Amino acid sequence: MLKTVLKRLRSNTLHSAFQFPQEPPAPPPNRLRELLRGGQDFDILLINVRDFALLRELYGRELSQEIETQLTTVLRRAVSERVHTAPACMPLEPGEYLLCWPTRGGDPRSQHDTAYEIKLIAQREANAHLLRWAGRELDLGFGCARHEGSRENGGGNREARLFQAVGEARLRAKMRLDLSQLSLSSEFNAILHEKKVQALFQPIADFASGTILAWEALTRGPEGSAFQSPTVLFDFAEQSGKLFALERLCREKALRSLGGIGQGQKLFLNIHPKTMADPEFTHGKTLELLEEVGLAPENIVFEITERHSINEFALFHRTLDHYRSQGYLVAVDDAGAGYSGLTSVAQIRPEFIKIDMSLIQGIDKDPVKRALIETFVTFADKIGSKIIAEGIESQAQAACLIDIGVHYGQGYYLARPAAPKPALSLDTAYLRKPQEPTRLITSCLMPIGNLVEAAQMRRQGTLVPDAQHCFEISRQQASIVVVDQEQEAPIGLIMEYQLNRQLSGQFGAALYSKRPIDAIMDRHPLIVDETTPVEQTAKSAMQREKIKAYDDIIVTRQGKVLGIVTVQRLLNTLAHVQVEMAKGTNPLTGLPGNVTLEREVEAGIGSGKRFSIAYADLDNFKVYNDTYGFKNGDRVIKLAADILDHSVRRFGEASDKLFHIGGDDFVLLTRPENVERICLAATRIFKRLIRTCYCLQDRQRGEVLATGRDGVERTYPLVSLSIGILEIGGPCTLLEIGERAAHVKKYAKSMPGNVYAWDRRPPLGSVLTSQAFAPACPMAEAEA
């Protein structure tokens, strides 16, 4: 009898104009049989995909079947989570689903609330799939009814009541729901009125530095309520026409709950594209709130999701340009899962592009996804954006993304959302991709104080029109340094372009006519002490956000303003120094040579600190060069340079320096406590890799048959690396260093294989050096 009822249900539907071959009707599930035979009341929910026939016609049977399969799974899970029981679930017509579960009693309005929540959850999860494949969303209709089996007698009457209840639910599913009929409506209004939302924060990690770039603000409804899920909360707000009010509340809650942040750190706020048209979403009110909590527009990133279409594109862009002119930044969320993909990204030109987690999951095992993310990174670099990978859930994913060159990451593996704002849950330093060795030495020891120019200074509290007048009378100055009232310590910076941008808006001049410059100054300018090296200052300047990359740099002396340095002068000076240094570099390896070495050694002696010098040389290199040719000889020298450089980076410090002083000779300057580990690694790696530079026959023999300098043919060992180590402990001459280095290197070369040898005499320049001459007693360690 049940099969007959279901057959009637499937046939009692108005077919659309599109006709498709029908699959054989599925048999009724055992769960539905149990509910009918048990004689108990059960709730019925009928879900239909509106315009499913059109969807099937446009995208084909395969995609529509995939949607049906996924919807069935999602609906089962949604019902189980919401009513805590396994439902009966079966398809009726294509795109139509029947779900049944035992009634738990209560007001019939609560049945509509439950059905509505299930519909929202199912629609959101199904849309995530459909958006990726078709660029559009599903529109689900729903209707609910109650089968009152406890009031019936006889099996036939039960089937009739089931048919009637399903028909009632189907009729309701075709109608648009009035949300005011739901008890959820009054609960939602209470949340808005009483401001009962919670702000959580999830950090966004900077892969380059291992620090936190920003936190994304996430909203949760009251715990234990139907609106605890943000899916239900925001979808209900949008459908009830209260999205603007909810987003205003969420922004205010996030800004007031954030707490203090570091220089350059940011807060990401999710913004629906429609919110840009909200008449109350104005710069004035937003700025007032930011000033109240001690933030500035450059700390805020508006995160616009691609999951929503932008209908009023012209209005959206005008509004977006207005906020950008005030200093706010923009991120596009869910890139790769939205309506127009890279097209809308290219039109918006965001500062940040957040890659949807569907493209991140499994990226460490999927070469296609890896290639796609590599393309995203290249695309972002070309338009001046940065990539943020969302949904990182494993170390393998994080390591793969770093290797690709993704700039930032976010996900449960790095930290879960929490309040107050959490730190990263692990040290990301070990994940970071090692920086490629910089062959061209760019260090410039010149202090930034040598480049200082006079600065215009104004005390805090100065009015904006007065600052504008300063730029008008002094065309040579492009900035004003804002100082405190007492000690003339810098507290902010105003660039002329920044001031003009603020005042060029429709109400800019009126808005700032009586406001102090504190309201528009950059509260986190780059401030350095006069002794800071030029290179370090340039690096800090280039790490600023794009909009501030060319802002002037404030230079201080004992905390007070000394002057400013323009980025143009800074880069010109650095370029000049690099050109001069490049003249002394080795063209084969790119390493600095004798001139730079002498300067660094003298600087090391002048510092008064102990340091070690390691002198490396290749044994039997001439034989190899004569046998295999100059091209392969250069290859061996390059290999030695790479191995030494790798060992320095792996076991040394950033201040260690490697030099190529000609031919097959290298010199390393490092700290005494690091030198042995560096030399041990270099000799071991060289022994293993040098064999790849020989033919198979020579590798197998472990020697080379060649003619020596005396013209006699004999066998020679493979090329090996010998390193002599000496320590500098005080004032000494370059001549003394050269003589001792040659001595200890000669001792190392007298031993077979890849070795390093210590000079056991007292360090050069130490007090003991002036005592009786101690014979060399080096200790060598050879690779077995």
Side-chain angles (χ1 to χ4, degrees), residues 348-386:
I348 296 174
R349 298 181 69 87
E351 282 75 21
F352 302 95
I353 301 173
K354 301 189 76 174
I355 303 298
D356 186 66
M357 65 181 299
S358 63
L359 297 178
I360 304 303
Q361 293 173 345
I363 189 173
D364 52 306
K365 302 174 183 176
D366 190 335
V368 176
K369 286 185 176 180
R370 182 184 177 98
L372 184 58
I373 299 303
E374 288 174 349
T375 303
F376 262 110
V377 172
T378 302
F379 171 74
D381 289 339
K382 288 183 179 297
I383 67 170
S385 297
K386 299 293 183 182

Side-chain angles (χ1 to χ4, degrees), residues 635 639 643 684-693:
R635 178 187 170 195
L639 175 66
I643 291 173
R684 287 180 174 177
I685 296 172
F686 189 85
K687 178 184 178 181
R688 184 175 70 250
L689 296 184
I690 188 58
R691 300 178 66 85
T692 62
C693 299

Side-chain angles (χ1 to χ4, degrees), residues 44 84 86 115 131 161 210 330 339 376 413 496-497 531 594 596 605 650-651 716:
I44 292 173
H84 308 293
L131 277 168
R161 287 292 298 160
V330 176
Y339 278 91
F376 262 110
Y413 176 69
E496 184 176 13
Y497 78 87
T531 60
N594 285 296
T596 310
I605 294 172
R650 178 69 177 83
F651 297 104
Y716 291 87

Side-chain angles (χ1 to χ4, degrees), residues 201-274:
F201 301 94
Q202 186 174 32
I204 299 173
D206 184 339
F207 285 147
S209 63
T211 59
I212 294 178
L213 164 76
W215 286 269
E216 179 182 357
L218 304 170
T219 301
R220 299 292 184 269
E223 188 172 354
S225 73
F227 293 104
Q228 181 175 349
S229 165
T231 299
V232 178
L233 183 66
F234 282 93
D235 283 356
F236 190 93
E238 185 173 1
Q239 295 188 31
S240 61
K242 298 179 180 178
L243 180 63
F244 295 165
L246 177 61
E247 286 207 343
R248 282 199 302 272
L249 173 60
C250 294
R251 286 196 302 275
E252 180 180 352
K253 184 71 71 169
L255 289 170
R256 295 189 186 280
S257 305
L258 179 63
I261 62 175
Q263 182 174 347
Q265 290 184 322
K266 306 182 187 306
L267 175 65
F268 279 61
L269 296 173
N270 288 279
I271 300 293
H272 193 294
K274 293 180 180 178

Side-chain angles (χ1 to χ4, degrees), residues 464-503:
V464 170
D466 294 337
Q468 188 177 18
H469 181 65
C470 290
F471 288 122
E472 291 175 354
I473 63 175
S474 179
R475 292 298 180 183
Q476 301 302 317
Q477 296 279 6
S479 66
I480 295 175
V481 179
V482 183
V483 297
D484 61 15
Q485 295 289 350
E486 298 178 359
Q487 299 180 357
E488 296 188 355
I491 62 172
L493 179 73
I494 298 176
M495 297 297 297
E496 184 176 13
Y497 78 87
Q498 176 189 5
L499 178 64
N500 292 337
R501 185 184 64 194
Q502 299 276 21
L503 300 179

